[in-house]
Amino acid sequence: MSTTPPPRSALPDLRPATGERDAEDGPFGWLRALGPRGRRAFAGAFGGYALDSYDYFTLPLSMVALAAYFGLDSSQTGLFTTVTLVVSAIGGAVAGVVADRVGRVRALMITVITYAVFTVACGFAPDYETLLVFRALQGLGFGGEWAVGAILVAEYASARHRGRTLGAVQSSWAVGWALAAVVYTLVFSFAGEDLAWRIMFWTGALPALLVVWLRRRVHDAPGATAVREQSPGRGSFTAIFRPAADGDPGLLRTTVLASLLSTGVQGGYYTLATWVPTYLKSERGLSVVGTGGYLTLLISGAFLGYLTGGYLTDRLGRRRNIWLFALLSAVCVLAYANIPHGADTLLLVLGFPLGFCMSAIFSGFGSYLSELYPTRVRGTGQGFTYNTGRAVGAVFPTLVGFLADSWGVGGALVFGAVGYGLAALALLGLPETRGKELA
């Protein structure tokens, strides 16, 4: 039998046709590559996460008014964020299981309805304790939306473009943040603070409109759905905690390290997202409009950071991208918290790289966590690890609240840099997954 390979012209060309390859190149090639159904799924996930962000930021932006209205100290206001994020871990883990058992789109609609209803309820709270309960219940939906939406899009995206596609979904967080900042500036400029914070929460009803569209227009990825429905033991917590045995690598190590990674990144992020508005008003003495101006630059940096981080996730790989921005985020936090009083221009300038770096690190999360888990438990694994990170990372804002009385808010913000160090260490035990196909 001859071992001479056939001539090159005799081999089938398995590459995409030139026109198809060209269509997937360019700045929006990732969007064209999704196809019509994938683009609708992208729009649904993008809108859901933007409104998730909007509903989340109604609290941090209203924090000073809430503290004055209910007579709260820093530790009590910090507890709002901690309760939201701790309960979101439960909501996220449950939503992941639901997504594996009944489908991604159905789970996405459930999470959006949940966070919308309880955000509106917060606006009717008569006292601190009731508001704390409603905010906790809002966390049930808040915790599940991102994980479910990210998986929905990841299963449509090609391995070549998955990083930037999920980075674009992640960028919707900045869109929702910006919308909340605009509404905050308008509402607090024209209404008294005692009413303005309630109006902010009432506007959280907007996501209900998205649910109607999701129900009619968005569907799960057919290939992944077929694999998921035929897999035994789908949506099982036991599966993601199974240790290695008898040649089976198990998922326990992956679950533990991915949870630590998520804890570090989100601990740093939520420290800044929760306390920077208070820092700007209470320690820098900025007005509502002045705070909005500083936040505009911070949010602009965040939006570009999400898009850039998504691109670099595909070019550098998942692990290198997270390592790079963990280091840069820690440096930015330390610099931002130590700007001398009176140097408000420098505070403004540093807001952009701070927002850029602390957001770029998130861009790879949607693709990376999706690729770490098989289809049958992808929702369960991603929902659990991402939201466990939220819950444990939620301790960071509370610690800042306790430390703020003695260190000042600016000094306590430095604690957020510890989270980024933890994320860098967790990566040492996780594999690189760039280029992995999802069934």
Side-chain angles (χ1 to χ4, degrees):
M1 180 182 292
S2 172
T3 58
T4 304
R8 214 166 170 70
S9 59
L11 293 172
D13 187 358
L14 300 177
R15 297 173 301 169
T18 302
E20 185 179 335
R21 291 199 305 272
D22 291 344
E24 293 191 11
D25 290 332
F28 295 102
W30 58 269
L31 187 60
R32 290 190 292 271
L34 286 170
R37 292 182 65 168
R39 286 194 287 272
R40 288 197 296 271
F42 173 84
F46 188 98
Y49 197 47
L51 293 169
D52 193 15
S53 169
Y54 178 88
D55 278 12
Y56 172 79
F57 278 106
T58 54
L59 176 65
L61 290 169
S62 304
M63 195 86 88
V64 173
L66 283 170
Y69 186 87
F70 291 117
L72 309 177
D73 58 28
S74 295
S75 61
Q76 288 175 304
T77 53
L79 190 59
F80 277 126
T81 298
T82 298
V83 166
T84 303
L85 300 181
V86 168
V87 176
S88 78
I90 301 171
V94 171
V97 173
V98 172
D100 283 336
R101 294 187 178 180
V102 306
R104 315 319 191 191
V105 174
R106 288 181 183 176
L108 185 62
M109 290 191 293
I110 292 170
T111 62
V112 172
I113 290 171
T114 302
Y115 73 66
V117 167
F118 287 108
T119 298
V120 173
C122 287
F124 293 98
D127 51 46
Y128 170 71
E129 291 77 16
T130 303
L131 181 58
L132 197 61
V133 170
F134 284 154
R135 188 64 179 180
L137 293 172
Q138 186 258 8
L140 290 174
F142 170 72
E145 196 285 333
W146 179 84
V148 177
I151 294 166
L152 172 66
V153 177
E155 290 175 342
Y156 273 106
S158 66
R160 178 186 175 193
H161 295 300
R162 190 173 297 118
R164 69 199 77 182
T165 303
L166 271 296
V169 172
Q170 196 84 45
S171 73
S172 65
W173 182 265
V175 174
W177 189 3
L179 179 61
V182 170
V183 174
Y184 157 80
T185 301
L186 292 174
V187 170
F188 276 79
S189 294
F190 293 102
E193 289 198 348
D194 288 354
L195 177 61
W197 68 265
R198 293 187 184 276
I199 295 174
M200 284 293 293
F201 284 120
W202 292 336
T203 61
L206 289 172
L209 300 175
L210 176 67
V211 174
V212 177
W213 184 80
L214 285 172
R215 181 177 174 82
R216 295 176 178 231
R217 302 285 293 164
V218 182
H219 306 280
D220 291 357
T225 299
V227 171
R228 176 179 57 79
E229 291 179 346
Q230 294 169 12
S231 299
R234 65 181 186 270
S236 168
F237 282 121
T238 302
I240 67 171
F241 287 103
R242 183 176 294 120
D246 300 326
D248 179 3
L251 291 169
L252 176 61
R253 177 186 175 90
T254 296
T255 298
V256 171
L257 291 174
S259 296
L260 287 175
L261 171 65
S262 184
T263 296
V265 171
Q266 297 195 79
Y269 180 86
Y270 284 111
T271 295
L272 298 171
T274 301
W275 286 105
V276 163
T278 299
Y279 171 64
L280 294 174
K281 290 191 72 173
S282 65
E283 294 199 9
R284 293 291 176 169
L286 298 180
S287 65
V288 168
V289 175
T291 300
Y294 280 82
L295 288 176
T296 297
L297 205 57
L298 185 69
I299 295 167
S300 299
F303 180 75
L304 292 178
Y306 286 129
L307 297 179
T308 303
Y311 174 78
L312 292 177
T313 291
D314 284 333
R315 292 300 299 268
L316 301 178
R318 302 352 181 185
R319 296 168 80 233
R320 287 182 181 177
N321 183 71
I322 295 173
W323 261 324
L324 172 64
F325 287 106
L327 173 62
L328 294 178
S329 295
V331 170
C332 285
V333 171
L334 294 173
Y336 196 78
N338 287 283
I339 295 173
H341 282 276
D344 286 350
T345 300
L346 184 57
L347 189 73
L348 176 66
V349 170
L350 277 180
F352 187 89
L354 176 67
F356 183 93
C357 293
M358 74 182 197
S359 299
I361 195 172
F362 270 106
S363 293
F365 264 51
S367 53
Y368 194 35
L369 295 180
S370 293
E371 292 160 356
L372 286 173
Y373 289 94
T375 302
R376 63 188 173 85
V377 290
R378 184 166 295 130
T380 305
Q382 184 156 333
F384 178 85
T385 55
Y386 188 81
N387 288 287
T388 294
R390 269 182 172 169
V392 182
V395 174
F396 286 59
T398 299
L399 287 174
V400 170
F402 282 112
L403 294 172
D405 293 333
S406 55
W407 292 13
V409 176
L413 283 176
V414 174
F415 193 75
V418 175
Y420 293 114
L422 177 62
L425 289 175
L427 278 174
L428 295 174
L430 289 169
E432 176 56 59
T433 60
R434 180 177 56 168
K436 183 177 180 179
E437 296 289 349
L438 301 184

